[in-house]
Amino acid sequence: MTMTRLTTMTRLALAAFLLALALPGSALAEEAANGHGPAIEAQEWSFAPPFGGYNKGQLQRGYRVYKEVCANCHSMRLLSYRNLAEPSGPHFSPKAVETLAAQAQVTDGPDNTGQMFQRPGRPSDAFRSPFANDQAARAANNGALPPDLSVMAKARPGGPDYIYALLTGYRKVPPGFDLTQGMQYNTAFPGHQIAMPNPLVDGMVPYTDGTKPTVDNYAKDVSAFLMWTAEPKLEERHKVGARVMIFLLVFAVIMYLSKRAVWARLHRRDHTHTA
Amino acid sequence: MAHPSTYQPASGIEKWLDARLPIPRVMHDQFLVFPTPRNLNYWWTFGGILTFMLAVQIATGIVLAMHYVPTPEGAFDSVEHIMRDVNWGWLLRYSHAVGASMFFLAVYIHSFRGLYYGSYKAPREVLWILGVVILLLMIATAFMGYSLVWGQMSFWAVTVITNLFSSLDSLIPGLGTTLVEWIWGGFAVGGPTLNRLYALHYLFPFVIAGVVILHIWALHVPGNNNPTGVNVKTERDVIPFHPYYTIKDGFALVLFLLLFAALLFYAPNLLGHADNYIPANPLQTPPHIVPEWYFLPFYAILRAIPNKLFGVIGLLGSIGVLVFIPWLDTSRIRSTRYRPIYKWFFWLFVVTCLALGYLGSQAPDGWYLFFGRVFTFYYFAFFLLIMPIVGLIERPKKLPGSITQSVLGPEASRPAGTPAAPSEPVREGVA
Amino acid sequence: MANPDISTDPSLLPDDDPSRRDVILIGAGAFAVIGGAAMLWPLLDQMNPDASTLSLATTEVDIAPIEEGQAITVMWRGKPIFIRHRTAKEIEEAKDVKVDKLIDPLARNANLPDSAPATDVNRAASDREPWLVMIGICTHLGCIPKGQAVGDYKGDYGGWFCPCHGSQYDTAGRVRVGPAPQNMYIPPYAFASDTKIKIG
């Protein structure tokens, strides 16, 4: 059987395979509509395309928003200050990273008397958490636990689209909606009731690079930043991926020609025995 | 195995080793000159692909194990440590996770090939059963591996699936609970459970490797099946495995790797579930507990059956029934290519498996539950009713006289010198 | 069933374009080798120290509380670091020694060239001779010598004594009695301020 003639079996199997590929996509769309929350609008992100990456300026602004707004309640235990210097991330200078780290007071110890003590942060330290533990966090937030944000962009269907939609999704309660005491109405949050009050206000974080300090930009920038904290190796992955794909494509062509060359002798033998 | 060895040790060292432990001879006989039907199509390349994927999973798994911490407090963070700090850790982790999906994709295609071409029929029954054993071991290994991440899905999948054994309480009071607490090492899924899942997850792939060796051995006794299902009859029907099938398998492998790479580098979390990036919380159940895609058909079957114990029996039975296929299928014709009636039932079975897969990802109510039951019924009916009945009543298409005939055409139009139709009598049970 | 049809053995069949086929096959082989090496490298490199370990390559130590005649031990890269605040007598004893009479005449100081001799100046902190900073591991077989605590037996030369096999070090950490072959190593370090040392 040659490559050019597809049997019925092969055609049907290919159809089945393509159908199978379509399933995850439909399953995801189904998820969004099937009681998992409203459909989330897709935003444009610099890192979304296969050869895309992060925007350094956006990540730096996003970090500012996280540090000055979100970090008051949300921990980010999986990040260390040294990560802020990564070239495929916010790419802060080493000096800036030392300064940013030193601005935080981290717990260290025990010292020689057995006591824990506070000291300024170093680049090797993990991001300082706002609360010592989950119970303290709940106590300070009416029993609700502000989740850690390190991998939040991968922990929710829709990822950064969802985070952006949530941060810009606070609305007045629609008529007829039964809002529990202490909750806020949000268009993106599953169930539409969220314990977190609207965290963003125009102008609350000063931007120094000319970007407008609006809620929309804050939401965009911090969502991109959270995507980076969840996937710091995205740029490297895309870069290595491009090289691997090109290598494999060329390799596939070479292997196909090799296969043809090896089998040519057999095919020729079959057709050369003439009278 | 039935052919005399033609290996000639070339150098002094080869002769010395050959007299003491003839591994080069075995490699030569079984993987270089092994007589292989000349008409194998690309569906036959998945065995080689599977061997490669097993090696990939073992290699990436061992290096991941150098960094992973198997405790509830450390597991999730250690995986993130691998993703962020370990040199190439992101590549190793994603290779292992996406590799598991690719491994199952290949094993399902490989299995469906076996079903379609009747590769399970005599004398290859043991080969088929060993394949089912490998599939079971793969399912167990993948289930345990996923739990090690200790995300919400990991934890709750283990809780739900191990809890199924408590259904034995309805057979013998207390038996199920005792069994479940023995599996857990406690009164709930926790640290002891995670630790033993880790130990077993590391062990099982090597057990799989051993069974794979038996599987290849069982294949090499009768030799490969082929798309016509007709036995090899003359020398002209076969060609040496090397270089023809080594190069063809290599080509197919590179194509497979292209798909693997596309997923790994550009959509590594596409086949996963977002909830597994939430650290495990024993006090909060995710709204929808869903296994990885390769378990979805079995999950659908489990949930289609309303009774807990019978649901478990259905789940185990859906794989257990595969063992009996060599005896359930009564057809004297191996390859579905020549079975015009059975062919439609086969494709309906393929659609059934895909449909069950989709339904397994949905909440089991309303139309989803209804169709889940319909397709579960057909799943079992295909093996228990269709295979025995259709095999007996079907009139098959005319088989080619030989493999060579199927490739080169009938004797009259063939150039002189090419082999004639077989002179040996046809073996009972096989055309 | 006899042997396979060896007339399909490529080396026995008539050739049509051997050179072209060979080029393609060599190309395929080359790609396979390159691909294999590329797959092998991450499997090996992942064992190298990871980013979090490398970030802990530096330690800062506050030396203000160390009185004259006292010593502390801190951990750096998993190893013990001896920091001794030497007395005037200890410094004088160290300076009195003729370098060419030493078992090991080299300074073993990572902050100086390899060939620097083991004078007290080359062993002590530059411009701060009371301070001695060393990796506290005996150069014989890796035990941790005694001598940090005030009551420890310090050997005949007032420095350190290794209880495992009896090596003795002087007040500049130089080996005076074997079987240790070399002076205790001095790590890369610098004074960040009068009271802070940055190691590594």
Side-chain angles (χ1 to χ4, degrees), chain A residues 201-222:
Chain A
V201 173
D202 283 337
M204 70 190 309
V205 176
Y207 274 166
T208 54
D209 61 355
T211 312
K212 277 203 163 66
T214 59
V215 167
D216 191 78
N217 280 338
Y218 292 152
K220 267 282 176 52
D221 294 342
V222 83

mmCIF file with all atom_site columns, all heavy atoms in Angstrom, chain A residues 201-222:
data_model
loop_
_atom_site.group_PDB
_atom_site.id
_atom_site.type_symbol
_atom_site.label_atom_id
_atom_site.label_alt_id
_atom_site.label_comp_id
_atom_site.label_asym_id
_atom_site.label_entity_id
_atom_site.label_seq_id
_atom_site.pdbx_PDB_ins_code
_atom_site.Cartn_x
_atom_site.Cartn_y
_atom_site.Cartn_z
_atom_site.occupancy
_atom_site.B_iso_or_equiv
_atom_site.pdbx_formal_charge
_atom_site.auth_seq_id
_atom_site.auth_comp_id
_atom_site.auth_asym_id
_atom_site.auth_atom_id
_atom_site.pdbx_PDB_model_num
ATOM 1   N N   . VAL A 1 201 ? -9.136  50.499 41.801 1.00 0.00 ? 201 VAL A N   1
ATOM 2   C CA  . VAL A 1 201 ? -9.738  51.817 41.605 1.00 0.00 ? 201 VAL A CA  1
ATOM 3   C C   . VAL A 1 201 ? -8.812  52.603 40.691 1.00 0.00 ? 201 VAL A C   1
ATOM 4   O O   . VAL A 1 201 ? -7.585  52.487 40.795 1.00 0.00 ? 201 VAL A O   1
ATOM 5   C CB  . VAL A 1 201 ? -9.883  52.558 42.963 1.00 0.00 ? 201 VAL A CB  1
ATOM 6   C CG1 . VAL A 1 201 ? -10.334 53.990 42.750 1.00 0.00 ? 201 VAL A CG1 1
ATOM 7   C CG2 . VAL A 1 201 ? -10.832 51.808 43.878 1.00 0.00 ? 201 VAL A CG2 1
ATOM 8   N N   . ASP A 1 202 ? -9.360  53.380 39.788 1.00 0.00 ? 202 ASP A N   1
ATOM 9   C CA  . ASP A 1 202 ? -8.527  54.212 38.904 1.00 0.00 ? 202 ASP A CA  1
ATOM 10  C C   . ASP A 1 202 ? -7.533  55.019 39.714 1.00 0.00 ? 202 ASP A C   1
ATOM 11  O O   . ASP A 1 202 ? -7.880  55.599 40.752 1.00 0.00 ? 202 ASP A O   1
ATOM 12  C CB  . ASP A 1 202 ? -9.406  55.175 38.109 1.00 0.00 ? 202 ASP A CB  1
ATOM 13  C CG  . ASP A 1 202 ? -10.110 54.476 36.955 1.00 0.00 ? 202 ASP A CG  1
ATOM 14  O OD1 . ASP A 1 202 ? -9.604  53.414 36.523 1.00 0.00 ? 202 ASP A OD1 1
ATOM 15  O OD2 . ASP A 1 202 ? -11.157 54.966 36.504 1.00 0.00 ? 202 ASP A OD2 1
ATOM 16  N N   . GLY A 1 203 ? -6.282  55.053 39.279 1.00 0.00 ? 203 GLY A N   1
ATOM 17  C CA  . GLY A 1 203 ? -5.275  55.922 39.874 1.00 0.00 ? 203 GLY A CA  1
ATOM 18  C C   . GLY A 1 203 ? -4.661  55.422 41.164 1.00 0.00 ? 203 GLY A C   1
ATOM 19  O O   . GLY A 1 203 ? -3.824  56.107 41.743 1.00 0.00 ? 203 GLY A O   1
ATOM 20  N N   . MET A 1 204 ? -5.027  54.219 41.655 1.00 0.00 ? 204 MET A N   1
ATOM 21  C CA  . MET A 1 204 ? -4.530  53.820 42.975 1.00 0.00 ? 204 MET A CA  1
ATOM 22  C C   . MET A 1 204 ? -3.039  53.465 42.954 1.00 0.00 ? 204 MET A C   1
ATOM 23  O O   . MET A 1 204 ? -2.365  53.552 43.967 1.00 0.00 ? 204 MET A O   1
ATOM 24  C CB  . MET A 1 204 ? -5.358  52.656 43.524 1.00 0.00 ? 204 MET A CB  1
ATOM 25  C CG  . MET A 1 204 ? -5.154  51.348 42.812 1.00 0.00 ? 204 MET A CG  1
ATOM 26  S SD  . MET A 1 204 ? -6.345  50.058 43.272 1.00 0.00 ? 204 MET A SD  1
ATOM 27  C CE  . MET A 1 204 ? -6.245  50.083 45.025 1.00 0.00 ? 204 MET A CE  1
ATOM 28  N N   . VAL A 1 205 ? -2.538  52.993 41.796 1.00 0.00 ? 205 VAL A N   1
ATOM 29  C CA  . VAL A 1 205 ? -1.120  52.662 41.689 1.00 0.00 ? 205 VAL A CA  1
ATOM 30  C C   . VAL A 1 205 ? -0.515  53.562 40.630 1.00 0.00 ? 205 VAL A C   1
ATOM 31  O O   . VAL A 1 205 ? -0.942  53.542 39.478 1.00 0.00 ? 205 VAL A O   1
ATOM 32  C CB  . VAL A 1 205 ? -0.928  51.190 41.273 1.00 0.00 ? 205 VAL A CB  1
ATOM 33  C CG1 . VAL A 1 205 ? 0.549   50.885 41.075 1.00 0.00 ? 205 VAL A CG1 1
ATOM 34  C CG2 . VAL A 1 205 ? -1.534  50.251 42.314 1.00 0.00 ? 205 VAL A CG2 1
ATOM 35  N N   . PRO A 1 206 ? 0.486   54.393 40.998 1.00 0.00 ? 206 PRO A N   1
ATOM 36  C CA  . PRO A 1 206 ? 1.074   55.293 39.996 1.00 0.00 ? 206 PRO A CA  1
ATOM 37  C C   . PRO A 1 206 ? 1.922   54.514 38.992 1.00 0.00 ? 206 PRO A C   1
ATOM 38  O O   . PRO A 1 206 ? 2.741   53.681 39.386 1.00 0.00 ? 206 PRO A O   1
ATOM 39  C CB  . PRO A 1 206 ? 1.953   56.232 40.843 1.00 0.00 ? 206 PRO A CB  1
ATOM 40  C CG  . PRO A 1 206 ? 2.215   55.501 42.107 1.00 0.00 ? 206 PRO A CG  1
ATOM 41  C CD  . PRO A 1 206 ? 1.094   54.550 42.326 1.00 0.00 ? 206 PRO A CD  1
ATOM 42  N N   . TYR A 1 207 ? 1.694   54.760 37.717 1.00 0.00 ? 207 TYR A N   1
ATOM 43  C CA  . TYR A 1 207 ? 2.518   54.163 36.666 1.00 0.00 ? 207 TYR A CA  1
ATOM 44  C C   . TYR A 1 207 ? 3.534   55.197 36.215 1.00 0.00 ? 207 TYR A C   1
ATOM 45  O O   . TYR A 1 207 ? 3.187   56.364 36.006 1.00 0.00 ? 207 TYR A O   1
ATOM 46  C CB  . TYR A 1 207 ? 1.630   53.751 35.482 1.00 0.00 ? 207 TYR A CB  1
ATOM 47  C CG  . TYR A 1 207 ? 0.999   52.389 35.601 1.00 0.00 ? 207 TYR A CG  1
ATOM 48  C CD1 . TYR A 1 207 ? -0.042  52.017 34.753 1.00 0.00 ? 207 TYR A CD1 1
ATOM 49  C CD2 . TYR A 1 207 ? 1.431   51.449 36.527 1.00 0.00 ? 207 TYR A CD2 1
ATOM 50  C CE1 . TYR A 1 207 ? -0.629  50.766 34.822 1.00 0.00 ? 207 TYR A CE1 1
ATOM 51  C CE2 . TYR A 1 207 ? 0.844   50.201 36.611 1.00 0.00 ? 207 TYR A CE2 1
ATOM 52  C CZ  . TYR A 1 207 ? -0.183  49.858 35.759 1.00 0.00 ? 207 TYR A CZ  1
ATOM 53  O OH  . TYR A 1 207 ? -0.770  48.622 35.827 1.00 0.00 ? 207 TYR A OH  1
ATOM 54  N N   . THR A 1 208 ? 4.781   54.772 36.052 1.00 0.00 ? 208 THR A N   1
ATOM 55  C CA  . THR A 1 208 ? 5.834   55.738 35.704 1.00 0.00 ? 208 THR A CA  1
ATOM 56  C C   . THR A 1 208 ? 6.232   55.683 34.249 1.00 0.00 ? 208 THR A C   1
ATOM 57  O O   . THR A 1 208 ? 7.100   56.412 33.815 1.00 0.00 ? 208 THR A O   1
ATOM 58  C CB  . THR A 1 208 ? 7.090   55.464 36.557 1.00 0.00 ? 208 THR A CB  1
ATOM 59  O OG1 . THR A 1 208 ? 7.447   54.083 36.377 1.00 0.00 ? 208 THR A OG1 1
ATOM 60  C CG2 . THR A 1 208 ? 6.831   55.734 38.022 1.00 0.00 ? 208 THR A CG2 1
ATOM 61  N N   . ASP A 1 209 ? 5.644   54.786 33.448 1.00 0.00 ? 209 ASP A N   1
ATOM 62  C CA  . ASP A 1 209 ? 6.092   54.670 32.066 1.00 0.00 ? 209 ASP A CA  1
ATOM 63  C C   . ASP A 1 209 ? 5.096   55.245 31.068 1.00 0.00 ? 209 ASP A C   1
ATOM 64  O O   . ASP A 1 209 ? 5.182   54.988 29.884 1.00 0.00 ? 209 ASP A O   1
ATOM 65  C CB  . ASP A 1 209 ? 6.360   53.195 31.722 1.00 0.00 ? 209 ASP A CB  1
ATOM 66  C CG  . ASP A 1 209 ? 5.090   52.349 31.854 1.00 0.00 ? 209 ASP A CG  1
ATOM 67  O OD1 . ASP A 1 209 ? 4.057   52.877 32.298 1.00 0.00 ? 209 ASP A OD1 1
ATOM 68  O OD2 . ASP A 1 209 ? 5.157   51.159 31.521 1.00 0.00 ? 209 ASP A OD2 1
ATOM 69  N N   . GLY A 1 210 ? 4.140   56.018 31.560 1.00 0.00 ? 210 GLY A N   1
ATOM 70  C CA  . GLY A 1 210 ? 3.210   56.653 30.635 1.00 0.00 ? 210 GLY A CA  1
ATOM 71  C C   . GLY A 1 210 ? 1.917   55.893 30.438 1.00 0.00 ? 210 GLY A C   1
ATOM 72  O O   . GLY A 1 210 ? 0.967   56.425 29.860 1.00 0.00 ? 210 GLY A O   1
ATOM 73  N N   . THR A 1 211 ? 1.848   54.619 30.866 1.00 0.00 ? 211 THR A N   1
ATOM 74  C CA  . THR A 1 211 ? 0.600   53.862 30.731 1.00 0.00 ? 211 THR A CA  1
ATOM 75  C C   . THR A 1 211 ? -0.473  54.488 31.619 1.00 0.00 ? 211 THR A C   1
ATOM 76  O O   . THR A 1 211 ? -0.200  54.913 32.744 1.00 0.00 ? 211 THR A O   1
ATOM 77  C CB  . THR A 1 211 ? 0.820   52.405 31.168 1.00 0.00 ? 211 THR A CB  1
ATOM 78  O OG1 . THR A 1 211 ? 2.004   51.919 30.548 1.00 0.00 ? 211 THR A OG1 1
ATOM 79  C CG2 . THR A 1 211 ? -0.349  51.526 30.770 1.00 0.00 ? 211 THR A CG2 1
ATOM 80  N N   . LYS A 1 212 ? -1.701  54.534 31.100 1.00 0.00 ? 212 LYS A N   1
ATOM 81  C CA  . LYS A 1 212 ? -2.769  55.163 31.876 1.00 0.00 ? 212 LYS A CA  1
ATOM 82  C C   . LYS A 1 212 ? -3.094  54.318 33.106 1.00 0.00 ? 212 LYS A C   1
ATOM 83  O O   . LYS A 1 212 ? -3.340  53.122 32.991 1.00 0.00 ? 212 LYS A O   1
ATOM 84  C CB  . LYS A 1 212 ? -4.030  55.263 31.011 1.00 0.00 ? 212 LYS A CB  1
ATOM 85  C CG  . LYS A 1 212 ? -4.077  56.455 30.086 1.00 0.00 ? 212 LYS A CG  1
ATOM 86  C CD  . LYS A 1 212 ? -5.556  56.739 29.742 1.00 0.00 ? 212 LYS A CD  1
ATOM 87  C CE  . LYS A 1 212 ? -5.792  58.091 29.188 1.00 0.00 ? 212 LYS A CE  1
ATOM 88  N NZ  . LYS A 1 212 ? -5.180  58.331 27.892 1.00 0.00 ? 212 LYS A NZ  1
ATOM 89  N N   . PRO A 1 213 ? -3.143  54.933 34.284 1.00 0.00 ? 213 PRO A N   1
ATOM 90  C CA  . PRO A 1 213 ? -3.423  54.180 35.519 1.00 0.00 ? 213 PRO A CA  1
ATOM 91  C C   . PRO A 1 213 ? -4.920  53.920 35.713 1.00 0.00 ? 213 PRO A C   1
ATOM 92  O O   . PRO A 1 213 ? -5.528  54.380 36.672 1.00 0.00 ? 213 PRO A O   1
ATOM 93  C CB  . PRO A 1 213 ? -2.866  55.100 36.607 1.00 0.00 ? 213 PRO A CB  1
ATOM 94  C CG  . PRO A 1 213 ? -2.959  56.469 36.034 1.00 0.00 ? 213 PRO A CG  1
ATOM 95  C CD  . PRO A 1 213 ? -2.811  56.351 34.552 1.00 0.00 ? 213 PRO A CD  1
ATOM 96  N N   . THR A 1 214 ? -5.506  53.139 34.786 1.00 0.00 ? 214 THR A N   1
ATOM 97  C CA  . THR A 1 214 ? -6.931  52.839 34.892 1.00 0.00 ? 214 THR A CA  1
ATOM 98  C C   . THR A 1 214 ? -7.137  51.424 35.394 1.00 0.00 ? 214 THR A C   1
ATOM 99  O O   . THR A 1 214 ? -6.229  50.584 35.321 1.00 0.00 ? 214 THR A O   1
ATOM 100 C CB  . THR A 1 214 ? -7.606  52.948 33.517 1.00 0.00 ? 214 THR A CB  1
ATOM 101 O OG1 . THR A 1 214 ? -6.955  52.003 32.636 1.00 0.00 ? 214 THR A OG1 1
ATOM 102 C CG2 . THR A 1 214 ? -7.472  54.339 32.939 1.00 0.00 ? 214 THR A CG2 1
ATOM 103 N N   . VAL A 1 215 ? -8.341  51.160 35.865 1.00 0.00 ? 215 VAL A N   1
ATOM 104 C CA  . VAL A 1 215 ? -8.677  49.807 36.338 1.00 0.00 ? 215 VAL A CA  1
ATOM 105 C C   . VAL A 1 215 ? -8.437  48.791 35.225 1.00 0.00 ? 215 VAL A C   1
ATOM 106 O O   . VAL A 1 215 ? -7.901  47.701 35.442 1.00 0.00 ? 215 VAL A O   1
ATOM 107 C CB  . VAL A 1 215 ? -10.139 49.750 36.823 1.00 0.00 ? 215 VAL A CB  1
ATOM 108 C CG1 . VAL A 1 215 ? -10.600 48.308 37.007 1.00 0.00 ? 215 VAL A CG1 1
ATOM 109 C CG2 . VAL A 1 215 ? -10.294 50.510 38.129 1.00 0.00 ? 215 VAL A CG2 1
ATOM 110 N N   . ASP A 1 216 ? -8.838  49.157 34.012 1.00 0.00 ? 216 ASP A N   1
ATOM 111 C CA  . ASP A 1 216 ? -8.667  48.241 32.884 1.00 0.00 ? 216 ASP A CA  1
ATOM 112 C C   . ASP A 1 216 ? -7.201  47.864 32.696 1.00 0.00 ? 216 ASP A C   1
ATOM 113 O O   . ASP A 1 216 ? -6.856  46.697 32.521 1.00 0.00 ? 216 ASP A O   1
ATOM 114 C CB  . ASP A 1 216 ? -9.229  48.887 31.611 1.00 0.00 ? 216 ASP A CB  1
ATOM 115 C CG  . ASP A 1 216 ? -9.334  47.897 30.486 1.00 0.00 ? 216 ASP A CG  1
ATOM 116 O OD1 . ASP A 1 216 ? -10.283 47.091 30.489 1.00 0.00 ? 216 ASP A OD1 1
ATOM 117 O OD2 . ASP A 1 216 ? -8.443  47.904 29.610 1.00 0.00 ? 216 ASP A OD2 1
ATOM 118 N N   . ASN A 1 217 ? -6.315  48.852 32.745 1.00 0.00 ? 217 ASN A N   1
ATOM 119 C CA  . ASN A 1 217 ? -4.885  48.563 32.578 1.00 0.00 ? 217 ASN A CA  1
ATOM 120 C C   . ASN A 1 217 ? -4.323  47.817 33.773 1.00 0.00 ? 217 ASN A C   1
ATOM 121 O O   . ASN A 1 217 ? -3.492  46.917 33.623 1.00 0.00 ? 217 ASN A O   1
ATOM 122 C CB  . ASN A 1 217 ? -4.106  49.862 32.361 1.00 0.00 ? 217 ASN A CB  1
ATOM 123 C CG  . ASN A 1 217 ? -4.220  50.339 30.922 1.00 0.00 ? 217 ASN A CG  1
ATOM 124 O OD1 . ASN A 1 217 ? -4.515  49.560 30.026 1.00 0.00 ? 217 ASN A OD1 1
ATOM 125 N ND2 . ASN A 1 217 ? -4.004  51.627 30.699 1.00 0.00 ? 217 ASN A ND2 1
ATOM 126 N N   . TYR A 1 218 ? -4.758  48.169 34.973 1.00 0.00 ? 218 TYR A N   1
ATOM 127 C CA  . TYR A 1 218 ? -4.315  47.422 36.151 1.00 0.00 ? 218 TYR A CA  1
ATOM 128 C C   . TYR A 1 218 ? -4.671  45.953 35.986 1.00 0.00 ? 218 TYR A C   1
ATOM 129 O O   . TYR A 1 218 ? -3.866  45.052 36.240 1.00 0.00 ? 218 TYR A O   1
ATOM 130 C CB  . TYR A 1 218 ? -4.989  47.935 37.431 1.00 0.00 ? 218 TYR A CB  1
ATOM 131 C CG  . TYR A 1 218 ? -4.584  49.331 37.851 1.00 0.00 ? 218 TYR A CG  1
ATOM 132 C CD1 . TYR A 1 218 ? -5.464  50.130 38.589 1.00 0.00 ? 218 TYR A CD1 1
ATOM 133 C CD2 . TYR A 1 218 ? -3.345  49.868 37.543 1.00 0.00 ? 218 TYR A CD2 1
ATOM 134 C CE1 . TYR A 1 218 ? -5.117  51.403 38.995 1.00 0.00 ? 218 TYR A CE1 1
ATOM 135 C CE2 . TYR A 1 218 ? -2.995  51.145 37.933 1.00 0.00 ? 218 TYR A CE2 1
ATOM 136 C CZ  . TYR A 1 218 ? -3.880  51.915 38.663 1.00 0.00 ? 218 TYR A CZ  1
ATOM 137 O OH  . TYR A 1 218 ? -3.553  53.168 39.058 1.00 0.00 ? 218 TYR A OH  1
ATOM 138 N N   . ALA A 1 219 ? -5.932  45.716 35.583 1.00 0.00 ? 219 ALA A N   1
ATOM 139 C CA  . ALA A 1 219 ? -6.408  44.334 35.444 1.00 0.00 ? 219 ALA A CA  1
ATOM 140 C C   . ALA A 1 219 ? -5.605  43.595 34.385 1.00 0.00 ? 219 ALA A C   1
ATOM 141 O O   . ALA A 1 219 ? -5.206  42.443 34.575 1.00 0.00 ? 219 ALA A O   1
ATOM 142 C CB  . ALA A 1 219 ? -7.897  44.323 35.105 1.00 0.00 ? 219 ALA A CB  1
ATOM 143 N N   . LYS A 1 220 ? -5.373  44.269 33.250 1.00 0.00 ? 220 LYS A N   1
ATOM 144 C CA  . LYS A 1 220 ? -4.586  43.656 32.184 1.00 0.00 ? 220 LYS A CA  1
ATOM 145 C C   . LYS A 1 220 ? -3.182  43.311 32.675 1.00 0.00 ? 220 LYS A C   1
ATOM 146 O O   . LYS A 1 220 ? -2.680  42.206 32.491 1.00 0.00 ? 220 LYS A O   1
ATOM 147 C CB  . LYS A 1 220 ? -4.457  44.632 31.003 1.00 0.00 ? 220 LYS A CB  1
ATOM 148 C CG  . LYS A 1 220 ? -5.501  44.477 29.924 1.00 0.00 ? 220 LYS A CG  1
ATOM 149 C CD  . LYS A 1 220 ? -5.153  43.287 29.047 1.00 0.00 ? 220 LYS A CD  1
ATOM 150 C CE  . LYS A 1 220 ? -6.191  43.003 27.995 1.00 0.00 ? 220 LYS A CE  1
ATOM 151 N NZ  . LYS A 1 220 ? -6.536  44.175 27.195 1.00 0.00 ? 220 LYS A NZ  1
ATOM 152 N N   . ASP A 1 221 ? -2.546  44.327 33.293 1.00 0.00 ? 221 ASP A N   1
ATOM 153 C CA  . ASP A 1 221 ? -1.149  44.143 33.686 1.00 0.00 ? 221 ASP A CA  1
ATOM 154 C C   . ASP A 1 221 ? -0.989  43.081 34.770 1.00 0.00 ? 221 ASP A C   1
ATOM 155 O O   . ASP A 1 221 ? -0.074  42.257 34.717 1.00 0.00 ? 221 ASP A O   1
ATOM 156 C CB  . ASP A 1 221 ? -0.568  45.476 34.169 1.00 0.00 ? 221 ASP A CB  1
ATOM 157 C CG  . ASP A 1 221 ? -0.481  46.508 33.051 1.00 0.00 ? 221 ASP A CG  1
ATOM 158 O OD1 . ASP A 1 221 ? -0.546  46.097 31.869 1.00 0.00 ? 221 ASP A OD1 1
ATOM 159 O OD2 . ASP A 1 221 ? -0.348  47.706 33.358 1.00 0.00 ? 221 ASP A OD2 1
ATOM 160 N N   . VAL A 1 222 ? -1.867  43.100 35.768 1.00 0.00 ? 222 VAL A N   1
ATOM 161 C CA  . VAL A 1 222 ? -1.700  42.118 36.837 1.00 0.00 ? 222 VAL A CA  1
ATOM 162 C C   . VAL A 1 222 ? -2.061  40.719 36.341 1.00 0.00 ? 222 VAL A C   1
ATOM 163 O O   . VAL A 1 222 ? -1.472  39.731 36.792 1.00 0.00 ? 222 VAL A O   1
ATOM 164 C CB  . VAL A 1 222 ? -2.518  42.519 38.101 1.00 0.00 ? 222 VAL A CB  1
ATOM 165 C CG1 . VAL A 1 222 ? -3.970  42.089 37.988 1.00 0.00 ? 222 VAL A CG1 1
ATOM 166 C CG2 . VAL A 1 222 ? -1.884  41.953 39.353 1.00 0.00 ? 222 VAL A CG2 1
#
